[in-house]
Amino acid sequence: VNELGQQQSALKLALVKWIVTFLVGFLTGMVALFIDFVVKKLTKLKFDTVEDSILQCSEDGCLVVPLLYLLLFNVGFVIVASCLVVIEPIAGGSGIPEIKCYLNGVKVPRVGRLLTLVSKSVGVLFSVAGGLFVGKEGPMIHSGAIIGAGVPQFQSIAFKKVNLKKYSFFRTDRDKRDFVSGGAAAGVAAAFGAPIGGVLFSLEEGCSFWNQSLTWRTFFCSMAATYTLNFFLSGIDSESWGYFYLPGLINFGVFKCTNELRIDCRLWDITDLAIFVVMGFLGGLMGALFNTINTAITKHRMKHLNKKHKLFRILEAALVAAVTTSVTFGASMALGECSEIPTNFVNGTSSSIEDTVRTYFCPDGYYNDMATLFFNSQEEAIKQLFHQPGTDGFSLRTLGLFTLFFFFLACWTYGTNVPSGLFVPCLLCGAAYGRFVARLLVLLGYGNQAIHSGTFALVGAAAFLGGVVRMTISLTVILIESTNEISYGLPLMLVLMVAKWSGDLFNEGLYDIHIKLRGVPLLEWEVPTGMERLKAEDIMERKLHFLYPRTRVTSIVQILRTTAHNAFPIVSIIEDRHQQVVNSSNMDEEEPHSPTEQNIPKNVPLRMDGLILRSQLVTLLKKGAMHEEHHTRTSQFNLSYEEMTEDYPRYPDIYDVTKSQNLNQSKLVDVVPYMNPCPYTVYPTTPVPQVFNLFRSMGLRHLPVVSHEGQHTERGRMGDNRSVRLSV
Amino acid sequence: VNELGQQQSALKLALVKWIVTFLVGFLTGMVALFIDFVVKKLTKLKFDTVEDSILQCSEDGCLVVPLLYLLLFNVGFVIVASCLVVIEPIAGGSGIPEIKCYLNGVKVPRVGRLLTLVSKSVGVLFSVAGGLFVGKEGPMIHSGAIIGAGVPQFQSIAFKKVNLKKYSFFRTDRDKRDFVSGGAAAGVAAAFGAPIGGVLFSLEEGCSFWNQSLTWRTFFCSMAATYTLNFFLSGIDSESWGYFYLPGLINFGVFKCTNELRIDCRLWDITDLAIFVVMGFLGGLMGALFNTINTAITKHRMKHLNKKHKLFRILEAALVAAVTTSVTFGASMALGECSEIPTNFVNGTSSSIEDTVRTYFCPDGYYNDMATLFFNSQEEAIKQLFHQPGTDGFSLRTLGLFTLFFFFLACWTYGTNVPSGLFVPCLLCGAAYGRFVARLLVLLGYGNQAIHSGTFALVGAAAFLGGVVRMTISLTVILIESTNEISYGLPLMLVLMVAKWSGDLFNEGLYDIHIKLRGVPLLEWEVPTGMERLKAEDIMERKLHFLYPRTRVTSIVQILRTTAHNAFPIVSIIEDRHQQVVNSSNMDEEEPHSPTEQNIPKNVPLRMDGLILRSQLVTLLKKGAMHEEHHTRTSQFNLSYEEMTEDYPRYPDIYDVTKSQNLNQSKLVDVVPYMNPCPYTVYPTTPVPQVFNLFRSMGLRHLPVVSHEGQHTERGRMGDNRSVRLSV
């Protein structure tokens, strides 16, 4: 291969990478568009039917008819969503815990499959349209991640026969992880119209090594998703194409003062800031309570519900839908108060706010405040709370009751057997809480100056969401971008900071709780407390399973069957102390049987030659890359990189191989050409924080511990053997 | 130390960190305020004087008087700035190359001193007020970084006597780098009102390990700076305190359509996007040309000017000032054209745009377009180009000439002996170029629909600045934040991407060029091309300098004097092959003389025990931590961590120590308690990309190469021994 050819193929690869990145963003945007479009259609159908029957209703008793309609729609939709999740269980929930695990390096089974994408994206349509207190943003992010995992592979599958060699570079876990992180960022970007927030989300939740070009590519992916969605949404909305004015699925609308002069009217000032801090503290407490209750419910579910027949899970989802519907309906009809429809709307946001008020049972010129919140999509309800002008748009009682109902129902809902995001429900609940505080402050006389209730609603939303999920910089940026108002930076940052702090006094973020409940060994940002003073030898896997450079097939099969490790050190016995470099030709004398530690005497000096992966061993066996005992190693044919990675990412199991093939158990396999001869290593006395940093920063999954003398004591795999336990 | 006490002190340390972080942000904001305030005052004084004398002038000949006034002011101011830089040479230029080096791990002498801060921040006042085509943003970022370097140390100096033990954790290079990166982010945040951009700037230019809590702290620092500045600017502006509406020193103003209906009026649409891509390409070419010319000038300056007396450097700066002034004045008077002052201003931005037009020699109701650009601060000129409504605000000839004059003068100016930022001049020059394109397109008939000239100006500005500095994600975000218009995300990203790509065909970014011209070995993001196939043994330092666990003082002094390395491996000779663990008690037999490789026979097996730093050795000598030859090591007193780091960050030189102290040359120093027993290591056969990643991600400065056998072949320091050559 000459220099020029190398440069050209590098350029080609770079180009393919960018094209694939664009495709990931584009498709994520299209999926978001699809979800948004269908949810809107379904919701409109539902509410139109129900509204007609409410408006036709004049007597008290006839309200049963719309309620029945609503129940029928909602329970029906939710059952569809729930069935999809029963088919593909990983599609349940928000998907963010799974993505977090994946980006952290833990393989979660089936998380990136096409079936998961379909179940999730179709399921979330129905769970949202079914009136559950769930969001579509988490599932959107998960969908983006699946697209990121799938597109590069689809490309490599489609072009397999054409041009195998050139595209094989997408066949490592690291490449795949890069695309998944781009897809997740694109999901955030599409959901919130927040491309920068998307990048930061990926970084905060997953990456550990900041790489300029990867980040730039992730940003490009986010932008592609945002503006794909923007282009189509704007085009559909205005029926004139080529414009971009509707970013993201959630659009918080423009925060404006009612007064054009900037001094008299302000979104917030320095005294408000002090109140925001207190609101953040309370929001953190509310979030901690939410997490505690949800943890208890989830544990209960895992203990009792998951053991029973799948039908029970669908029934629970239907029950949640029925209760939610009844509460929604009952509260709107019985507890709503009538507020005057303001006439002095600010231009711009006016139309959408005016359009979505609900006037049930109120005189002309008035609207039913509870129904306005419950009989709209959650996004519209949030906009109502943010932009309904004046402080008296919603009564104190309505806001308080709404917050309470929503809090407990959302808490029950998260973790049910449907695809269910957490962001929007938390934002809505928090917005009601924030608006409640604003109303209260006015009653207490704080509002001499006209305070901007919308700002309080936004701050409340941030406080509660921050208290539940405990994200920091990415959430701040997502909220800044969704509001398109950079001056909210300081209040949002302060509130999220305080909410995280006060929530952390009691428990972890909800995503982390769910990750722990599933028993996934996630590596946090910092060394777990209590481990700072330990050394590598304290946490390493002491039971050493290793292979020799040339190992008998029977031993390989045995070690693959009896252990769950994903990587094995290759060691040689140093027989002659004066012969330092054991070159490969005289390895043929080695004992190739049963390479477990029982068979070799203690204190025999060993030297680590390298590390080989389970997938590589299985592939070698499958391909029959082995030779007769008395032949030299040159008689074994060498497999190319393409042949070795042909099955990526779904390598066969050792049982599949032994079942389908009749392996000659007495042959030898020479692993030297395939092993990684220079893995990162640490000493037994290396402190755990240093080991941890290496593991985290370099994205390792296995880390051999080699003694100072290089050949003497234990070698082992990290005790943090996350992949060992989980990967498939 | 009990558990509770540990937790408490950890909490205290965290609190101190946050307080110090806030202080860094706050002080950076205050310095920005100071610079902004004084520049405004000086500029106003200058222009008022000159304007008065222009307006009094009716005949042609009398224009000499205002020109003389202007020359007097400008040359005088620039001489002051230049003198300050002669006092502290590192204060010259923008400071961003130095910060980039520092964050990359290279110590640049004097870059973080108080004197540098004073020279830089006072110098930039005068160079900007002196009418040079320089910006104050680069120096602002440098100032922020110095504050970040200084505040934690000030704190540790101030509290030294009170509470030495508790605060010693700020005494590592890593801690300091964290604060510097926070300070630099705060500088960006204050300069552009872009806290998120500031964080991304720090990440893009410096960090390699993405750490959630560090990033969050950096964000907090940026926010503190932004809102400190915002608070005071808004307070001074409105004389009513507690509001926040003036973020950043540069405020690009609000981009608005002249038409309230969103469809007819748009900031940009999809066809514009195609033009933007072409503009980005051309901007990249212009940037590459700028870099090429500036490189030639800088080389010339280094070769000829820097060798002569300092006075010549001041004279050059004065000459630049005089030429700039003359061109500015001449072009405004002779080449300006009169445009009508528009009456249908959009509300909001109107007042400031109307205030800053210059009417010299034009009839009532008209303004001189060239003078409007030249006789304003650069920020005001940018605003004029962005917001002067209609496409006919500036004539094609004026825009073309202005772009040309500015391009060449700015190119000459950057690198002169004054503090000089690059951002704002590039933005202004690019904005004129963009507006030129818009005007041209209208003439060519593209503007059937009303195109938004301001958007073209913004895109042009991004294209040219991107072509010069080649920053990617951080520049995009900074520009999005400065315009407070998230919908500009896509055009800005595309333009910057294309500009970087087309510029990279010819040369590197200007900062990188200046770094290279100074001979600083910066580690890029990717492995340098051509090194992908090398191994660690190919690039390692082959001449091995090492110490024994117990070394004679004379040998330590010799090795410290004869080498420039900053870390030395500690090795033992493995004498008895059957005794694998050489424990420390039998090291006393070792030969402690002249530990250089000449003295030991080849092929004697060595084992690396650890790594010790130059600073540690010097401190040991200075404190007299040594013992007699025939005493055991226990007779040597042990120094505490606080004693070892007492001199941080300015450890004495070995020559200082040997001069001031009478060292007993025959005594022995036991380095075992102080060495790092478990440094990260690599094998000689480890591929360079892997070595590079480890080096870059873990922020290493030294990396021992240890052979597989653990004791046999070479051990050495990375060939990438950047700190070795540069640190002081």
Side-chain angles (χ1 to χ4, degrees), chain B residues 424-702:
Chain B
V424 170
C426 286
L427 285 174
L428 178 51
C429 186
Y433 146 67
R435 187 105 189 191
F436 179 84
V437 173
R439 187 79 205 239
L440 201 67
L441 286 172
V442 170
L443 288 180
L444 293 174
Y446 177 73
N448 303 342
Q449 314 145 290
I451 64 171
H452 194 278
S453 329
T455 303
F456 279 80
L458 175 66
V459 166
F464 182 57
L465 179 56
V468 172
V469 300
R470 314 280 162 80
M471 284 157 61
T472 56
I473 190 169
S474 58
L475 191 53
T476 315
V477 175
I478 287 171
L479 290 176
I480 293 174
E481 285 187 287
S482 320
T483 55
N484 197 0
E485 184 56 57
I486 286 169
S487 64
Y488 278 138
L490 182 66
L492 287 174
M493 186 199 64
L494 274 184
V495 158
L496 287 172
M497 187 180 264
V498 175
K500 180 177 164 59
W501 173 78
S502 72
D504 278 349
L505 295 177
F506 299 95
N507 47 36
E508 286 185 282
L510 195 53
Y511 297 137
D512 293 316
I513 290 175
H514 276 257
I515 289 171
K516 289 228 168 126
L517 284 177
R518 288 183 215 175
V520 178
L522 196 74
L523 286 192
E524 291 298 331
W525 289 101
E526 308 290 340
V527 182
T529 32
M531 294 185 82
E532 295 89 350
R533 283 159 194 281
L534 297 182
K535 296 188 180 303
E537 57 192 349
D538 301 323
I539 59 166
M540 70 186 182
E541 170 75 46
R542 289 195 162 272
K543 193 156 162 57
L544 185 62
H545 297 276
F546 57 84
L547 297 172
Y548 293 110
R550 295 178 66 204
T551 313
R552 215 172 280 280
V553 169
T554 174
S555 309
I556 294 183
V557 170
Q558 191 203 332
I559 201 169
L560 288 178
R561 279 186 173 171
T562 54
T563 68
H565 300 307
N566 275 315
F568 302 93
I570 307 296
V571 304
S572 332
I573 297 175
I574 302 178
E575 312 226 358
D576 180 7
R577 297 189 164 285
H578 293 278
Q579 175 199 347
Q580 287 301 325
V581 186
V582 183
N583 53 41
S584 52
S585 61
N586 52 12
M587 278 180 193
D588 286 355
E589 282 89 46
E590 278 168 29
E591 158 66 274
H593 290 289
S594 313
T596 54
E597 61 184 359
Q598 287 76 23
N599 296 26
I600 50 161
K602 293 239 164 182
N603 293 325
V604 162
L606 296 173
R607 187 192 60 208
M608 195 186 73
D609 291 332
L611 206 63
I612 192 145
L613 300 177
R614 170 177 286 262
S615 62
Q616 291 174 317
L617 289 174
V618 170
T619 307
L620 287 176
L621 291 181
K622 186 186 160 200
K623 300 265 177 193
M626 44 192 80
H627 59 98
E628 296 290 344
E629 187 160 359
H630 300 291
H631 285 55
T632 57
R633 60 174 44 192
T634 48
S635 66
Q636 175 178 328
F637 58 91
N638 274 341
L639 295 171
S640 67
Y641 177 71
E642 282 74 28
E643 286 170 301
M644 285 299 288
T645 56
E646 209 174 86
D647 292 321
Y648 180 83
R650 296 172 199 169
Y651 290 103
D653 198 67
I654 179 66
Y655 293 99
D656 301 340
V657 173
T658 47
K659 224 179 277 173
S660 66
Q661 268 162 289
N662 197 7
L663 296 173
N664 185 339
Q665 301 277 337
S666 65
K667 277 191 172 177
L668 290 172
V669 177
D670 179 15
V671 298
V672 172
Y674 308 105
M675 73 184 184
N676 174 4
C678 301
Y680 293 115
T681 59
V682 291
Y683 297 114
T685 50
T686 306
V688 166
Q690 193 178 338
V691 175
F692 185 88
N693 274 343
L694 186 66
F695 219 76
R696 193 79 172 73
S697 316
M698 309 309 296
L700 302 183
R701 290 184 162 171
H702 326 280

